[in-house]
């Protein structure tokens, strides 16, 4: 009998996934299977994983259907009563699987459990969220003058996440980050798995929202955790909100859950925030150069120009 199916979706992260898979087998429990869904079109290097980890069930997804589609493909191959969704850029700390699966087994009304998340050993990130993305989230992400003003008074502020101090206790959350999601198979079946309209990003938010709307609880546990072991090759910048897939999924989330009128208003707020930020970043960059000081504005300015371009091309077609 299979108790736990671990599903990993990867795209070119063969080297990163070695450490991830190592940590999974170090956390192995009885009745566990590991399913690897490879979205890489040219998967010639997959044998570096299958040879080292012969027990994994490897499947090549010939059509890159994104993270959501990859997980759904994995679900169609999974036999476990519980499903652990794990990204290939994270490794698991000892006892994490045992503690989270023990908790969800004892609480039949829980559909999903998350754990601690570390950007590097000893540096915990916030992975539990007290609210869903909204208009103020958009302002916080894209209006740089507002962002700088808020963080001047409160460096820990985030429009959606619980505080780091809150993360010291068990939390009944709105959603948990997708790097480590331990789900009850029945709960996933109840809502039909992931929504594949979210190619990448916000599929975890949408999934948790639908679980809660279906009567399941989503819980964060301050146990164990996962640690980032590198940056995926497709991600060219650490500024996640500047990535086109991120922006597309954000507006798709608004369209799906709040309606077109809300999405249109959010687009206007988004483009206004970006347009306001570009001269601000330019002035800061020039000023810091004159003063011979280092400035992040030099890196951010071209990104914000790209964000504006996306809003005026792909974004406007998506929302209107």
């Amino acid at each position: 009998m299979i108790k736990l199916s671990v599903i990993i979706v990867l795209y070119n992260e063969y080297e990163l996934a070695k450490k991830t898979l190592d940590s999974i087998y170090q956390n192995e429990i009885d009745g566990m299977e590991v399913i690897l869904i490879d979205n890489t079109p040219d998967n010639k290097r997959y044998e570096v994983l299958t040879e080292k980890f012969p027990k994994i069930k490897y499947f090549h997804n010939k059509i890159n259907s994104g993270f959501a589609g990859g997980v759904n493909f994995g679900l169609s191959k999974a036999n476990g009563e519980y499903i652990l969704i794990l990204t290939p850029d994270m490794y698991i700390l000892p006892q994490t699987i045992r503690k989270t699966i023990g908790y969800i087994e004892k609480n039949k009304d829980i559909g999903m459990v998350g754990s601690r998340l570390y950007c590097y050993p000893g540096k915990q990130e916030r992975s539990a969220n007290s609210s869903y993305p909204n208009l103020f989230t958009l302002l916080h992400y894209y209006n740089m003058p507002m962002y700088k003003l808020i963080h001047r008074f409160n460096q820990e502020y985030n429009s959606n996440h619980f505080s780091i101090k809150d993360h010291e206790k068990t939390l009944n959350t709105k959603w948990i980050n997708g790097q480590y999601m331990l789900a009850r198979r029945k709960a996933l079946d109840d809502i039909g798995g992931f929504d594949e309209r979210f190619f990448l990003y916000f599929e975890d938010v949408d999934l948790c929202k639908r679980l809660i709307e279906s009567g399941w609880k989503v819980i964060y546990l301050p146990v164990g955790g996962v640690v980032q072991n590198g940056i995926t090759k497709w991600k060219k910048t650490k500024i996640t909100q500047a990535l086109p897939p991120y922006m597309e999924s954000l507006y798709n989330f608004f369209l799906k859950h709040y309606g077109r009128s809300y999405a249109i208003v959010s687009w206007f707020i988004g483009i206004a925030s970006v347009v306001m930020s570009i001269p601000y970043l330019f002035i800061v960059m020039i000023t810091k150069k004159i003063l011979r000081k280092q400035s992040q504005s030099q890196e951010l300015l071209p990104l914000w120009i790209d964000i504006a371009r996306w809003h005026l091309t792909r974004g406007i077609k998506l929302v209107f």
Side-chain angles (χ1 to χ4, degrees), residues 141-154:
Y141 284 171
Y142 294 109
N143 191 314
M144 288 304 297
M146 176 177 287
Y147 177 89
K148 293 292 184 181
L149 181 63
I150 291 172
H151 284 261
R152 179 174 292 275
F153 294 100
N154 183 2

Side-chain angles (χ1 to χ4, degrees), residues 126-138 140-141 156-163 167 173-175 177 202 205 246 250 253-254 258:
R126 290 175 284 190
S127 56
N129 301 273
S130 57
S131 64
Y132 299 114
N134 52 51
L135 296 179
F136 197 77
T137 306
L138 201 68
H140 184 232
Y141 284 171
E156 298 297 320
Y157 175 80
N158 187 286
S159 54
N160 297 123
H161 297 314
F162 284 103
S163 69
H167 279 70
T173 71
K174 296 293 186 182
W175 55 283
N177 287 18
F202 292 94
V205 190
Y246 183 94
L250 175 60
F253 183 85
F254 290 156
Y258 306 146

Side-chain angles (χ1 to χ4, degrees), residues 15-144:
E15 292 303 318
L16 287 181
K18 286 181 182 178
K19 191 168 185 177
T20 303
L21 290 165
D22 264 330
S23 72
I24 290 171
Y25 286 113
Q26 288 170 13
N27 277 270
E28 188 170 7
I29 63 170
D30 292 336
M32 185 181 84
E33 64 177 0
V34 179
I35 298 171
L36 190 63
I37 306 299
D38 191 353
N39 274 346
T40 314
D42 180 3
N43 67 327
K44 293 179 180 178
R45 296 181 58 235
Y46 79 94
E47 290 179 351
V48 302
L49 297 179
T50 55
E51 289 177 358
K52 184 175 181 181
F53 305 99
K55 291 198 295 183
I56 64 172
K57 296 181 178 180
Y58 173 87
F59 299 94
H60 182 221
N61 196 0
K62 295 180 180 179
I63 299 174
N64 180 11
S65 53
F67 183 76
V71 173
N72 284 345
F73 183 26
L75 286 172
S76 71
K77 306 296 182 182
N79 300 297
E81 181 183 359
Y82 300 97
I83 306 292
L84 173 57
I85 300 161
L86 191 68
T87 57
D89 58 340
M90 311 297 293
Y91 66 88
I92 309 174
L93 295 175
Q95 297 299 313
T96 303
I97 291 178
R98 292 185 185 279
K99 289 180 179 179
T100 51
I101 206 168
Y103 187 87
I104 199 171
E105 280 185 304
K106 293 176 183 177
N107 297 274
K108 304 302 182 183
D109 58 343
I110 294 175
M112 182 172 289
V113 173
S115 70
R116 290 172 176 150
L117 170 64
Y118 296 90
C119 55
Y120 55 82
K123 176 62 176 177
Q124 185 175 357
E125 288 191 347
R126 290 175 284 190
S127 56
N129 301 273
S130 57
S131 64
Y132 299 114
N134 52 51
L135 296 179
F136 197 77
T137 306
L138 201 68
L139 279 170
H140 184 232
Y141 284 171
Y142 294 109
N143 191 314
M144 288 304 297

Side-chain angles (χ1 to χ4, degrees), residues 227-247:
V227 185
Q228 188 172 51
N229 59 26
I231 300 295
T232 54
K233 291 182 179 180
W234 60 264
K235 190 173 179 180
K236 297 179 181 179
T237 171
K238 293 181 181 179
I239 311 297
T240 303
Q241 67 263 35
L243 296 169
Y246 183 94
M247 293 182 282

Side-chain angles (χ1 to χ4, degrees), residues 153-318:
F153 294 100
N154 183 2
Q155 291 186 352
E156 298 297 320
Y157 175 80
N158 187 286
S159 54
N160 297 123
H161 297 314
F162 284 103
S163 69
I164 284 293
K165 186 173 179 58
D166 286 334
H167 279 70
E168 296 173 3
K169 58 189 177 183
T170 300
L171 298 169
N172 193 341
T173 71
K174 296 293 186 182
W175 55 283
I176 53 176
N177 287 18
Q179 287 92 338
Y180 184 99
M181 305 176 83
L182 177 67
R184 192 181 303 275
R185 178 62 186 260
K186 183 181 184 305
L188 294 180
D189 289 343
D190 281 352
I191 63 171
F194 281 95
D195 185 338
E196 296 184 22
R197 283 177 288 182
F198 299 94
F199 184 82
L200 195 64
Y201 296 111
F202 292 94
E203 66 284 304
D204 48 359
V205 190
D206 172 75
L207 185 78
C208 291
K209 192 173 192 301
R210 289 187 290 123
L211 282 172
I212 291 170
E213 288 172 351
S214 297
W216 295 99
K217 290 182 180 179
V218 176
I219 300 295
Y220 161 83
L221 283 182
V223 299
V226 288
V227 185
Q228 188 172 51
N229 59 26
I231 300 295
T232 54
K233 291 182 179 180
W234 60 264
K235 190 173 179 180
K236 297 179 181 179
T237 171
K238 293 181 181 179
I239 311 297
T240 303
Q241 67 263 35
L243 296 169
Y246 183 94
M247 293 182 282
E248 180 152 348
S249 289
L250 175 60
Y251 284 108
N252 271 328
F253 183 85
F254 290 156
L255 283 165
K256 177 179 178 178
H257 293 286
Y258 306 146
R260 188 163 299 276
S261 296
Y262 191 100
I264 290 172
V265 171
S266 69
W267 181 89
F268 277 110
I269 290 176
I271 189 62
S273 296
V274 174
V275 169
M276 182 186 300
S277 299
I278 290 173
Y280 167 82
L281 290 169
F282 180 77
I283 291 169
V284 172
M285 181 184 70
I286 296 300
T287 303
K288 291 292 181 72
K289 277 188 175 181
I290 293 171
L291 297 174
R292 295 183 179 181
K293 293 183 178 180
Q294 289 186 337
S295 173
Q296 192 185 19
S297 299
Q298 188 169 354
E299 174 191 353
L300 294 179
L301 181 58
L303 293 179
W304 256 246
I305 291 172
D306 286 343
I307 294 170
R309 186 180 295 116
W310 183 90
H311 275 80
L312 295 171
T313 53
R314 172 59 185 162
I316 200 169
K317 292 177 183 178
L318 177 67

